[in-house]
Amino acid sequence: MNSNKIESSYFLGVRVDRLDTETAKDEVRKLVRKRDGIMKPVYFANVHSIFLALQDHQLMEQLNYAALTLPDGSGLNWAGKILGNPIVENLNGTDFTPKILEMAEHENWSVYLLGAEEHVINKTAQVVQLQFPKLNIAGYHHGYFLGQKEQKVIDDINSKSPDLLLVGLGSPIQERWIWENRDKLNVGAGFAIGGLFDFMSGEFPRAPLWMRKLGIEWMYRFLNDPGNKWKRIFIEIPLFIPLIIMAQLIPNKVK
């Protein structure tokens, strides 16, 4: 789907676009203005999603053919330097998406929030409206709708016809849902934003700024949620850099 001339890198076969904040915002602006009846997927690739993609060919295709696949996390920064093709900027969804909401407020775009538990998405909608008072929040719905209720959610989104749809269902469910419904939704661009609603609502705290600047926010998340994060910390991150080094040594076998 990414048919423009955006420069990209590949990490173990997963495409990651080499953009800075302003250029990425410009690309999102193009996607929203282009509205042609097919929602444009915007994904964020990090070490965890790359490992998921190595085990799920469909997810790899979705990341590689999205309208945008943005770099998320310090792991890609380290890997890019090893490959001699560093990412331009860490555009993690937790920091980048609020910048898109700010742009949406300025551009008079509407946004629909989809995901998380009901009390979390309700609080998120309140927080977003306070933070961006002129933003048009077209609607919002919790993330426990898959199955019989799914069509009702799709119908509600289409009735609001938002410019942006933020989907927080966790990977790889959110990427798959956006991809499989992209031609059913009257939306400009659909963002897979992971746990953003948990952070914006205050359900889970973010790491202190100094940890984020050092690129060790992953450590803070692990300490706050070891049961769900241990695999990422003790298996995926230690394996990632050696696999990237192998990709350098055997470029035709592993990219």
Side-chain angles (χ1 to χ4, degrees), residues 78-92:
W78 302 333
K81 291 177 180 178
I82 291 172
L83 293 173
N85 195 18
I87 64 172
V88 178
E89 187 177 343
N90 178 5
L91 299 179
N92 68 81

Side-chain angles (χ1 to χ4, degrees), residues 90-140:
N90 178 5
L91 299 179
N92 68 81
T94 309
D95 291 321
F96 181 70
T97 308
K99 295 174 184 177
I100 294 299
L101 292 175
E102 181 180 27
M103 183 170 71
E105 181 183 41
H106 178 74
E107 299 276 352
N108 294 317
W109 294 345
S110 58
V111 60
Y112 194 107
L113 313 176
L114 180 65
E117 296 184 41
E118 186 169 10
H119 74 281
V120 172
I121 198 65
N122 291 344
K123 181 64 180 297
T124 300
Q126 296 173 14
V127 170
V128 169
Q129 198 70 83
L130 286 172
Q131 189 172 354
F132 307 102
K134 295 182 180 180
L135 178 64
N136 177 8
I137 300 179
Y140 54 92

